[in-house]
Amino acid sequence: MKLSADLIALQKRIAYRFEQGELLTEAVTHSSMSSPSRGDNQRLEFLGDRVLGLVMAEALLGADVKASEGQLAPRYNALVRKETCADVAREIGLGDVLRLGRSEMKSGGRRKLALLGDGMEALIAAVYLDGGFEAAQALILRLWGERINSVEEDARDPKTSLQEWAQSRGLTPPAYIETARSGPDHAPMFTIEARLDNGETETAMAGSKRLAEQAAAKALLARMTAHD
C-alpha cells in the first residue's frame, strides 16, 4: 500500500518503516473517520495498550532489580498512563497525521489528550503486528527514552498520595470541585479546587479536569506535608 507523504514522514520520525502500510493508516484513523470500507484504530488501541504494558513492566524490572512490587506499580502507571502516551505522541507529531472526521477537526481533535494517547497505543500495536514484539519493544524504548530511568521512585498519582495522607490522619478523602471553565470549546481550561474536610484547599488550572485535579492535589499535599 502506498503511503501519503505525511505518513512517510512519520515513519522517519519514529525510525520504523512499515511493510504493511495499511496498518499504519489504520492506526492513525479515528472512529470519526471510519466507514464500512475504512477501519478505525480502536482495536489497535486495545492491543497496543497491552504491548506497552508488557514492555514497560519488563523494562522497569531490569532498571531496578531490587524494587518491590509496591515501588514498581506506581512507576509503571506513570509510564503507561494516557497523559504519558499523549506526551510521546506530541513529540513525534502524531496529531498532525491523525485522520479525523469533521466534528473532531472542528473541536481541536489533533490536540486532545485522549485522541493522542489512543493514537500512540494504536501505533504501537501497528508496529507489533507489522514487525513483531522486538520491533514494538525497540520503538517503545526509543520513544519513551529517559522517562523509564528518570521516573520518580515514588511515582504515585498525586490524588492517590493526597488521599492516603488524609486517611492516615482520620480525614475523609479529598473533594475536587470545578470552580471555573474558560477558553474555547476545542481548548477549554478547567480550574479545580482540591479540598480537605479540615478546611485546607489548593486550586490549579489545566487543559483537562484530570490534570487540573492532579495539579491541585499535588499542591495541596506539598503544603500539608511541609507542615508535618
Side-chain angles (χ1 to χ4, degrees), residues 81-170:
R81 63 192 177 198
K82 199 71 74 176
E83 290 88 349
T84 305
C85 290
D87 284 343
V88 176
R90 293 187 189 97
E91 290 175 2
I92 63 173
L94 184 59
D96 296 337
V97 304
L98 290 178
R99 277 37 175 173
L100 305 175
R102 183 175 298 178
S103 61
E104 283 294 347
M105 287 283 287
K106 287 185 175 180
S107 63
R110 296 191 189 282
R111 297 186 299 274
K112 288 183 179 178
L113 184 150
L115 269 65
L116 289 170
D118 291 348
M120 190 67 239
E121 291 171 346
L123 180 60
I124 289 169
V127 172
Y128 169 76
L129 292 175
D130 186 73
F133 178 75
E134 290 186 0
Q137 181 182 44
L139 176 83
I140 292 166
L141 296 179
R142 184 165 62 250
L143 296 184
W144 263 250
E146 279 304 306
R147 287 181 176 86
I148 299 170
N149 295 321
S150 63
V151 64
E152 296 179 14
E153 287 195 19
D154 182 3
R156 288 173 297 175
D157 183 291
K159 291 177 64 177
T160 300
S161 297
L162 179 60
Q163 180 170 323
E164 291 175 354
W165 182 91
Q167 291 179 327
S168 70
R169 288 157 177 76

Side-chain angles (χ1 to χ4, degrees), residues 54-70:
L54 176 57
V55 171
M56 281 304 161
E58 185 177 357
L60 287 170
L61 285 174
D64 189 345
V65 297
K66 295 183 179 180
S68 67
E69 188 277 338

